[in-house]
Amino acid sequence: MSGSRLSSVLPDLSPWRSSRDFRLLFFQGTVTYFGSFMAMIALPLQIKHLTGSPLAVGAMGAVELVPLVVCGLYGGALADAVDRRRLILLTEAGLGVLALVLLVNALLPDPLLWPLYVVAAGVSALSGLQRPALDSLMQRIVPHDQLTAAAALNALRYQSGAIAGPALAGVVVAYFGYAPAYAVTVVGFAVSVMLCARLRPAPPVGGAERPSLRSIAEGARYAWSRPVLLGTYAVDLAAMFFAFPNTIFPFLADELDAEWALGLMYAAGAVGSLVLGLTSGWVSRVRRHGLLVVSGAAAWGLAIAAAGWFSNVWLVLVCLAAAGAGDMLSALGRSTIWNQTIPEELRGRLAGIEVLSYSVGPQLGQVRAGTMAGWTGTRPAFWSGGLACVASVALLAAVLPKLISYDADTDEDALRRRAAREAGAAEGAAEGAAPEADPAGTPA
């Protein structure tokens, strides 16, 4: 393959070169995701070990749901009203403390069950507070025309942790127990806090409202008035609710007589996403991002359904990898639409709604998968959910045609946002401001 063809396929590194804060967040996220995925795998395994019940494992999603909804919405309003860097730093430190609680509990002679649910709820709450600030910060530190490339690089960062964390967690838990897995998580959060402390301040835009129900409602009204945004939220919510079976992977591994493959099952989706991310250079040239959202979600559902049909563990792993690639494609489309169209003064509140769209779905999906597995068996819980995902995505695409027709070069909101960024950059240049040092943090 010639150099020009290769560069058109490989990830676009322009956000890495143009933004110091993007590089810091890239390293911070890599460390955090690796440690978090260690705990994410160890926690349901420990609940399974203590109870032997798929319903008990699925109940973790129910415990996480309310804190995520409440704190996600409030965190969005908070991100528009306070320094986003400070909010990220404090919540990251809190997540580290909760990881320490898991470690202490695992070191007890007889580990307790209830702290696992308490920590799961606490992690959900702190993540809900943090994610809007993290997501909305990207719009400030990365130039408008590099947002899709930034989304691809962020996904690569996430998938690297999603591959290495689960794969290592399965080995560590099997041979050394739960405490070492949680210890890695604690160390990861300590490093992450140090990296977050080096980020530049990201104060709110002038005239920002204090967090309140009124400000949250303002963001919700804006989202409701934009069919394209509604479509991105609804498609992701439906896909995750019907086809997020991760919580029953331990039972699928038992049924296929392949306990050794449990870590691979958790990592397979990330492998598929990583492969797509490593060949994502072409995505930066796509303008119809709504098509990415719909086609990626449909591919996810079909692959999850296929994973429930096969009894060969290697074919199951291939299907899960294909599902990960589909999810990655859909995520790139969603992230680009969000960052291209939402005004800066509403970005935090809309990021809070986004947290609900891509986080509540998996939480409810855990409950659905665990309940279905208890009623009908593990594999029917896979294929029925996958088919329901495809059907729901097709219905939403028909009901919300503006999502399919979205074009970054013609959409009114995208054009307004681009003009605002260019005006801000021109103003900063006229004042002699450095690209990443102006009060609003807007890169020139």
Side-chain angles (χ1 to χ4, degrees):
M1 183 180 290
S2 67
S4 60
R5 289 183 179 178
L6 185 62
S7 62
S8 68
V9 173
L10 292 177
D12 182 355
L13 300 179
S14 52
W16 177 280
R17 292 190 291 266
S18 66
S19 174
R20 168 189 174 272
D21 280 356
F22 180 84
R23 293 191 294 274
L24 282 173
L25 285 175
F26 186 91
F27 287 123
Q28 175 268 336
T30 300
V31 172
T32 297
Y33 286 137
F34 176 79
S36 296
F37 273 105
M38 290 283 287
M40 191 181 301
I41 302 309
L43 187 56
L45 280 176
Q46 192 172 18
I47 294 176
K48 175 180 179 288
H49 175 77
L50 293 174
T51 66
S53 167
L55 291 176
V57 178
M60 190 173 67
V63 168
E64 294 169 336
L65 181 58
V66 172
L68 182 63
V69 171
V70 174
C71 294
L73 289 173
Y74 183 73
L78 202 60
D80 281 336
V82 303
D83 188 318
R84 292 171 185 172
R85 168 189 171 274
R86 185 168 180 239
L87 180 57
I88 293 168
L89 184 61
L90 291 175
T91 50
E92 196 75 357
L95 289 167
V97 171
L98 291 178
L100 185 60
V101 172
L102 289 176
L103 174 59
V104 172
N105 183 62
L107 290 172
L108 296 175
D110 296 305
L112 303 172
L113 177 63
W114 65 265
L116 304 184
Y117 290 110
V118 171
V119 168
V123 168
S124 183
L126 288 175
S127 297
L129 290 173
Q130 183 190 78
R131 288 303 308 182
L134 271 174
D135 291 348
S136 59
L137 188 60
M138 202 57 55
Q139 193 184 61
R140 286 193 180 191
I141 65 176
V142 176
H144 186 87
D145 59 353
Q146 296 177 11
L147 288 171
T148 304
L153 291 174
N154 283 335
L156 282 177
R157 173 194 66 178
Y158 174 86
Q159 302 306 338
S160 298
I163 293 170
L168 185 59
V171 175
V172 170
V173 170
Y175 290 97
F176 303 104
Y178 299 102
Y182 296 139
V184 172
T185 306
V186 172
V187 172
F189 277 114
V191 174
S192 176
V193 167
M194 290 188 289
L195 290 171
C196 288
R198 298 186 59 196
L199 292 170
R200 290 185 174 91
V205 175
E209 294 185 35
R210 295 182 61 183
S212 65
L213 290 177
R214 178 183 174 183
S215 65
I216 293 172
E218 182 184 358
R221 282 194 299 270
Y222 180 88
W224 186 258
S225 69
R226 299 300 191 274
V228 173
L229 291 180
L230 281 180
T232 63
Y233 303 148
V235 166
D236 190 46
L237 184 63
M240 294 297 103
F241 173 72
F242 288 113
F244 190 80
N246 292 30
T247 192
I248 56 174
F249 280 166
F251 301 93
L252 180 63
D254 289 345
E255 189 170 314
L256 297 177
D257 194 25
E259 291 83 358
W260 55 269
L262 178 58
L264 296 178
M265 288 181 183
Y266 281 110
V271 170
S273 296
L274 183 63
V275 170
L276 185 70
L278 290 173
T279 57
S280 63
W282 60 275
V283 180
S284 294
R285 299 185 294 277
V286 172
R287 318 312 296 165
R288 300 283 299 279
H289 300 103
L291 283 175
L292 295 185
V293 174
V294 172
S295 59
W300 159 271
L302 283 174
I304 292 296
W309 293 328
F310 291 118
S311 57
N312 181 291
V313 66
W314 293 108
L315 291 177
V316 170
L317 292 173
V318 169
C319 291
L320 294 176
D327 186 46
M328 170 74 158
L329 192 65
S330 186
L332 291 180
R334 292 195 309 271
S335 178
T336 302
I337 290 173
W338 296 339
N339 284 318
Q340 282 183 344
T341 63
I342 299 172
E344 167 63 23
E345 63 272 16
L346 292 172
R347 190 66 191 92
R349 279 163 282 180
L350 271 293
I353 296 174
E354 291 154 20
V355 167
L356 300 188
S357 78
Y358 63 66
S359 299
V360 170
Q363 307 309 323
L364 293 175
Q366 290 185 82
V367 178
R368 186 211 68 85
T371 302
M372 285 292 294
W375 288 346
T376 66
T378 302
R379 292 171 66 187
F382 271 78
W383 61 256
S384 63
L387 293 180
C389 167
V390 175
S392 62
V393 168
L395 178 61
L396 288 169
V399 172
L400 297 167
K402 286 191 176 181
L403 176 62
I404 297 293
S405 62
Y406 174 86
D407 189 316
D409 291 332
T410 59
D411 182 82
E412 292 182 1
D413 289 325
L415 292 175
R416 275 195 293 268
R417 181 61 192 145
R418 179 188 293 272
R421 289 291 298 270
E422 291 174 350
E427 181 181 349
E431 295 174 356
E436 292 184 358
D438 62 287
T442 304

